[in-house]
Amino acid sequence: MDWSQSLRLVAPEELLSLVGLALLLVAAWGGDKASRLITWAAVAALGVCAVLVAPALCSGASGPDTVAFSGQFRADAFASFAKLLIYAAGAASLIVAPAFFERVRAMRAEYPILILFALLGMGMMVSATDLLTLYIGLELNSLSAYVLAAFLRSDDRSAEAGLKYFVLGALASGILLFGMSLTYGFTGTTSFEGISTALSASGTGGGLSHGALFGITFMLAGLAFKISAVPFHMWTPDVYEGSPTPVTTFFATAPKVAALALTMRVSLSAFGSQAHAWQQIVIFASLASIVVGALGAIGQQNIKRLLAYSSINNVGFMLIGLAAATPQGASAMLVYLAIYVAMSVGGFVAVLMLKDADGAPVENIADLAGLSRHRKVLSLCLAMVMFSLAGIPPLFGFWGKFVVFQAAVQAGMVPLAAVGIAASVIGAFYYIKIVKILYFDEPANKATGKSDWMHQALLALSALIISPAGYLLTKWLGHYADSAAAVLFHAV
């Protein structure tokens, strides 16, 4: 093993570790009054990390030169694509936090540090090519997330969200570990490459063993919890509603990218030789998530709970790309994921800007009635987010749905694409309902508070990306998504 090459390939993770430890010392000495300095230092560190990982994506890095620590870590184009999305989402979650927490005097210096360590775990997750690396990264992310959910100690809802997330997360980790132990027991290795080889050999020798099949099933069940796929979605609405809104912004974006990227690598690299063994599971999770996410959102009265069900719904559409089990499907999934991050950041930043005259959050959907009369730009941006999440052209969210349906049709899964298209019509109802409340109901005059300029800038950037101008990115985004997806099918 070449230690110098390995240490060079994990440079972003090394930087996050060192910066996190250094900022921890600053927090210990400077206290909470240093929280803004620590926040911007963390954002700067994420910018440097993005610069470090970008060359691998631009060059389409793959093969032996991307392997570190004897095959436990891979810094290839796929990992770089996911990390860039993760760092962007993490930076957005850091930028929006101070204005929110300072109003309730709850801004703590630990917040940006916990975000950094969670992002460190996510970086390990998307680069993991071994079950051991996978689990270390997953738990580093999860442990930070449990604390972040309960970060607002003065709010009972936040404490409840943290407790529910911890208990159900521990259960999901147990299920995942059980699947990993079965997979190791029936393949004799923890390496993704070794697992693929062993499963391929067992498949040609008379079919996949029941033990290995159970291992695949339990691992996918554990990962389904992390991506909020039905039937392991029950934690999502409560945690999204109870967590502080900047934390919810984080949960809806960065961990979602990391968990979906990890699910792609496990399914297509480790279990890629036996795609038929897991495709039916993914198809069920996809359709169930689309339907449950759409129907569950219809009766919601809280905007954050509605966006939680929206995230479940969108995960279902992304899983259609994974179910195709083709390079085109994987590429479509990455394109959708990039667009989804922009839509989610825009949606939750808009929610952060919904405040009453005293600065208290306005989360009840009925209180948004007639918002367009006095907050025209905010209403327009929120309406754009809703239409884009619904996949209504000409907004950029339509392109994400189009490419995954196209990949499913190309893979011969026409019925799956047809059911997905039909179910997306159900989802359009509750998105359009929000727009109707914003523009056609009598004004409730609740959300009258002023917004922070940083929130306005982030919302404007998100709105620009999901607007028709976003289609200018399709060629560039498609090229890099194709390059990243190809790695999963040609890894050596």
Side-chain angles (χ1 to χ4, degrees):
M1 179 174 65
D2 186 346
W3 279 98
S4 61
Q5 176 179 315
S6 295
L7 293 174
R8 177 178 58 81
L9 291 173
V10 298
E13 285 68 35
E14 291 168 356
L15 178 62
L16 285 179
S17 301
L18 292 174
V19 170
L21 292 172
L23 293 180
L24 200 57
L25 293 175
V26 174
W29 287 327
D32 292 336
K33 61 180 177 290
S35 57
R36 273 193 177 266
L37 171 65
I38 294 171
T39 298
W40 286 108
V43 172
L46 292 176
V48 175
C49 288
V51 171
L52 290 174
V53 301
L57 177 61
C58 295
S59 63
S62 63
D65 291 340
T66 63
V67 178
F69 301 114
S70 300
Q72 295 206 34
F73 188 97
R74 192 183 286 272
D76 52 22
F78 175 77
S80 296
F81 189 100
K83 286 178 186 178
L84 288 172
L85 293 180
I86 289 167
Y87 296 154
S93 305
L94 287 168
I95 290 169
V96 300
F100 177 88
F101 286 117
E102 286 173 359
R103 187 193 68 82
V104 291
R105 298 181 181 177
M107 186 60 191
R108 302 281 182 266
E110 294 88 352
Y111 175 82
I113 298 168
L114 285 167
I115 293 282
L116 280 186
F117 285 129
L119 294 172
L120 170 61
M122 292 176 211
M124 293 181 66
M125 286 167 63
V126 300
S127 288
T129 49
D130 190 281
L131 297 180
L132 298 177
T133 326
L134 178 161
Y135 193 71
I136 291 170
L138 191 68
E139 285 306 296
L140 182 55
N141 165 36
S142 298
L143 291 172
S144 299
Y146 301 150
V147 180
L148 286 167
F151 198 76
L152 205 57
R153 288 176 288 183
S154 60
D155 187 351
D156 290 341
R157 294 189 310 165
S158 182
E160 180 187 347
L163 184 60
K164 285 182 176 178
Y165 198 13
F166 171 69
V167 172
L168 293 173
L171 174 64
S173 292
I175 293 172
L176 178 64
L177 273 175
F178 185 57
M180 288 166 57
S181 66
L182 284 173
T183 302
Y184 171 67
F186 284 89
T187 61
T189 179
T190 58
S191 163
F192 288 3
E193 185 180 351
I195 291 170
S196 179
T197 303
L199 292 178
S200 181
S202 67
T204 56
L208 198 63
S209 68
H210 291 302
L213 183 59
F214 272 106
I216 293 173
T217 304
F218 276 102
M219 280 193 67
L220 289 177
L223 292 172
F225 173 90
K226 301 299 180 183
I227 63 175
S228 308
V230 175
F232 302 97
H233 66 290
M234 68 290 294
W235 61 274
T236 313
D238 290 337
V239 171
Y240 276 36
E241 180 186 11
S243 300
T245 307
V247 175
T248 308
T249 307
F250 181 66
F251 287 167
T253 51
K256 195 82 73 179
V257 173
L260 281 163
L262 175 60
T263 304
M264 291 175 70
R265 197 185 283 276
V266 168
S267 301
L268 299 172
S269 293
F271 303 144
S273 60
Q274 296 293 328
H276 65 275
W278 52 261
Q279 274 180 308
Q280 291 183 0
I281 299 172
V282 173
I283 290 171
F284 167 77
S286 170
L287 294 178
S289 298
I290 291 171
V291 174
V292 171
L295 295 178
I298 290 174
Q300 298 305 316
Q301 302 300 317
N302 183 287
I303 187 72
K304 287 165 70 176
R305 288 185 72 88
L306 184 142
L307 289 173
Y309 280 102
S310 170
S311 77
I312 296 167
N313 180 260
N314 277 279
V315 163
F317 288 114
M318 283 183 253
L319 289 178
I320 290 177
L322 180 59
T326 60
Q328 293 78 17
S331 174
M333 195 173 173
L334 291 175
V335 169
Y336 197 128
L337 202 50
I339 299 170
Y340 171 76
V341 167
M343 294 189 295
S344 291
V345 168
F348 282 103
V349 170
V351 172
L352 276 166
M353 294 171 66
L354 297 171
K355 296 180 287 188
D356 64 18
D358 297 323
V362 174
E363 296 178 1
N364 195 315
I365 293 173
D367 292 339
L368 306 183
L371 185 68
S372 61
R373 312 287 173 85
H374 55 276
R375 302 290 298 276
K376 290 182 172 56
V377 176
L378 175 58
S379 298
L380 175 62
C381 292
L382 187 54
M384 286 176 64
V385 169
M386 292 299 155
F387 280 134
S388 189
L389 284 168
I392 296 174
L395 296 171
F396 204 22
F398 166 76
W399 184 251
K401 286 186 170 62
F402 175 78
V403 291
V404 293
F405 290 142
Q406 184 182 46
V409 170
Q410 289 174 343
M413 295 182 169
V414 177
L416 174 61
V419 174
I421 292 169
S424 66
V425 177
I426 303 172
F429 169 79
Y430 60 87
Y431 294 121
I432 295 173
K433 183 182 79 170
I434 298 294
V435 179
K436 173 256 183 188
I437 290 171
L438 291 174
Y439 280 89
F440 298 106
D441 284 9
E442 285 300 314
N445 295 320
K446 290 286 182 71
T448 56
K450 293 185 177 180
S451 305
D452 184 80
W453 72 270
M454 192 58 73
H455 292 177
Q456 295 172 350
L458 266 178
L459 181 59
L461 179 60
S462 299
L464 179 64
I465 293 172
I466 65 175
S467 72
Y471 285 91
L472 297 174
L473 302 175
T474 52
K475 184 176 181 181
W476 172 82
L477 185 59
H479 168 72
Y480 287 121
D482 288 344
S483 175
V487 172
L488 298 177
F489 294 87
H490 301 99
V492 295

